Amino acid sequence: MKRKSVIAIVPDAAPLKQSNASLIARREAAVARGVASAAPIFAKYAENAELWDVEDNRYVDFAGGIAVLNTGHRHPKVVAAAKAQEDQYTHTSFQVVPYEPYIALAEKLNELAPGDHAKKSLLVTTGAEAVENAVKIARAATGRPGVIAFTGGYHGRTLLTLGMTGKISPYKKDVGPFPSDIYRAPFPSLRDGITVQDALTGLQNLFLTDAQPERIAAIIIEPVLGEGGYTPVPFEMMQALRAICDQHGIMLIADEIQAGFGRTGTWFAIEHSGVVPDLITVAKSMAGGYPIAGVIGRAEVMDAVIPGGLGGTYGGNPVACAAALAAIEAIEEEGLLARSTALGEYFRTRFADIGARVSPYRMWDIRGLGAMLAVEFVTDFETATPDAALTKSVVAHALKRGLILLSCGMHGNALRIMVPLTASDAIIDEGLSIFEAALTDAMAELHG
């Protein structure tokens, strides 16, 4: 039976116009408090690097759904591929009746991943699920239980991935205990005076005190810290980790969930170091906004788990697979790897200029790879004390002026750039102009 709409029943009634305030009230009544939102606005429409809320306010989007939209909101190729797949079938579960898009995407991921060895891939739904499966595969391949992660690393919100995540608030607060056989090694930090050699010494000491190397299945690391502050792993550190893993028979897992698919100017951020990992976890920008994730790895390692030991009801959803293949094709056809590198250079130059003019001695660091960049704010250069309050103020003023930004870092004092790589030069400049105005507002507010 055809449904009758309210408009059809009451012809003279106009559709109720939603407001951000009314939706906030509904959200507070219906949605769990622990699900936080950075911006007090609700999306109505989005296109490439622009978003409109339910009150028809327009925003330049420098957040990209937390680094999911390297190909922008609603990329035509991605949307067309998803719609075409929806006309055929939307779900069978690959574990029941398999389908070609899953295989095609696995083939493409194997082709893109670094290394000349034979590779295989697993498709799942979320980044945390990918990380959990990477650990499972590493344990099966090595017959060992232990995992080593790093200070400041972020690997997900499930209990196992939270155990590996190196930041308490808000992720780990009040939800332990966490799984055993997870160990934390120091990450090189300019702020904390931890050199690469210090970090490697810390790892060796961990081997001597808590983490017997012969019981360690994997070392997992983000080639560029995501939530931890957009700090790249020094290349010599990554190369040393590869050597240590080879020495002890440990799997090296590159968590590329936030850094992958062109964000740093290469398909995977680890490529900058020349290191080839054993396993790579992927998600976020792989499918241009559709939920899909995966693990890519050495074929013999990926095959360590027995048939039926990997998978999931929705893993490698056919619509998401089609979207991912289209997003990857768009990255290739539109030269978005080179675009990322060029954007990174442009952002660095503009940030340095804006910081020097508007907030002298407050923008302590501009760092990252390609367009995966962050700027860090401090109270002064002499002490380099993190200034989370100024950072929060810049984000708030930017939103008022029409720019969506997100902060990150152990101290919450860094702003990260996740703008779609498809954004036009005009949109990039508009966003940077709003950022400068927001920083000016925040500095004026600071000085009363």
Side-chain angles (χ1 to χ4, degrees):
M1 179 183 294
K2 186 176 180 180
R3 297 176 185 169
K4 293 182 178 180
S5 69
V6 173
I7 301 302
I9 295 171
V10 188
D12 294 331
L16 293 174
K17 185 173 177 61
Q18 293 181 321
S19 69
N20 291 315
S22 66
L23 286 169
I24 288 172
R26 288 173 58 190
R27 170 204 160 87
E28 289 176 350
V31 179
R33 184 173 70 112
V35 184
S37 296
I41 60 173
F42 287 78
K44 177 181 178 181
Y45 177 78
E47 184 78 22
N48 199 358
E50 299 171 272
L51 182 147
W52 286 261
D53 71 10
V54 294
E55 298 175 5
D56 295 322
N57 299 305
R58 173 184 169 273
Y59 299 86
V60 173
D61 187 0
F62 272 20
I66 317 180
V68 167
L69 300 169
N70 286 354
T71 53
H73 289 280
R74 301 175 57 253
H75 190 287
K77 181 181 285 289
V78 174
V79 171
K83 287 182 176 179
Q85 179 58 50
E86 286 173 347
D87 287 339
Q88 295 179 302
Y89 52 90
T90 61
H91 175 77
T92 67
S93 186
F94 194 75
Q95 285 78 242
V96 180
V97 178
Y99 36 85
E100 192 272 343
Y102 188 118
I103 298 169
L105 180 55
E107 289 171 338
K108 190 62 180 179
L109 294 176
N110 298 338
E111 174 192 324
L112 294 176
D116 296 328
H117 53 274
K119 309 180 193 81
K120 290 189 176 183
S121 290
L122 159 72
L123 299 179
V124 289
T125 309
T126 70
E129 191 182 0
V131 172
E132 292 232 1
N133 276 279
V135 171
K136 182 195 298 186
I137 292 164
R139 285 174 168 171
T142 62
R144 305 171 180 182
V147 179
I148 294 175
F150 291 85
T151 303
Y154 178 83
H155 302 290
R157 297 174 191 262
T158 59
L159 280 179
L160 177 60
T161 57
L162 278 178
M164 291 183 277
T165 290
K167 184 179 179 182
I168 296 291
S169 185
Y171 311 113
K172 303 172 73 168
K173 183 173 172 54
D174 302 329
V175 296
F178 302 104
S180 60
D181 279 309
I182 297 173
Y183 306 92
R184 182 93 47 227
F187 187 89
S189 170
L190 177 64
R191 164 176 299 288
D192 298 327
I194 301 173
T195 65
V196 168
Q197 187 54 56
D198 292 335
L200 293 172
T201 299
L203 178 58
Q204 294 296 342
N205 288 339
L206 185 63
F207 285 150
L208 295 173
T209 57
D210 291 302
Q212 180 183 339
E214 294 78 14
R215 295 188 74 254
I216 300 301
I219 292 177
I220 185 167
I221 192 166
E222 296 173 279
V224 181
L225 292 187
E227 301 296 317
Y230 271 37
T231 304
V233 179
F235 298 159
E236 60 269 34
M237 173 79 174
M238 194 65 81
Q239 292 156 4
L241 290 178
R242 177 71 275 177
I244 290 168
C245 286
D246 290 342
Q247 177 186 355
H248 296 291
I250 298 169
M251 298 289 105
L252 179 61
I253 303 174
D255 185 341
E256 294 271 0
I257 288 166
Q258 190 159 166
F261 296 94
R263 178 49 49 183
T264 70
T266 52
W267 284 106
F268 303 101
I270 199 168
E271 294 178 66
H272 291 279
S273 69
V275 168
V276 176
D278 300 293
L279 297 164
I280 301 173
T281 58
V282 293
K284 290 195 180 284
S285 274
M286 178 164 67
Y290 288 81
I292 194 168
V295 183
I296 316 164
R298 296 181 179 276
E300 71 277 11
V301 175
M302 295 293 291
D303 281 345
V305 179
I306 64 170
L310 299 176
T313 302
Y314 296 105
N317 171 269
V319 178
C321 285
L325 287 164
I328 290 169
E329 190 174 298
I331 292 170
E332 292 174 327
E333 290 180 350
E334 297 175 27
L336 296 187
L337 301 185
R339 173 69 170 165
S340 175
T341 300
L343 280 177
E345 294 171 354
Y346 185 65
F347 270 107
R348 283 179 182 275
T349 300
R350 289 292 304 273
F351 279 140
D353 173 61
I354 292 169
R357 286 188 292 101
V358 178
S359 57
Y361 306 107
R362 303 301 297 274
M363 195 182 289
W364 184 66
D365 195 16
I366 304 168
R367 59 174 178 266
L369 291 174
M372 189 174 182
L373 286 178
V375 294
E376 181 175 349
F377 291 105
V378 296
T379 58
D380 60 274
F381 274 19
E382 186 174 344
T383 65
T385 302
D387 198 338
L390 176 60
T391 308
K392 185 176 181 180
S393 180
V394 172
V395 171
H397 283 291
L399 190 68
K400 291 177 185 176
R401 288 180 172 272
L403 174 66
I404 301 172
L405 288 171
L406 286 180
S407 61
C408 65
M410 295 293 287
H411 305 282
N413 67 314
L415 292 179
R416 50 181 159 165
I417 300 303
M418 298 172 285
V419 65
L421 303 177
T422 49
S424 68
D425 291 345
I427 290 289
I428 295 294
D429 283 334
E430 181 183 358
L432 283 166
S433 295
I434 297 173
F435 167 78
E436 179 172 353
L439 180 56
T440 302
D441 292 342
M443 291 297 294
E445 184 177 79
L446 185 72
H447 295 109

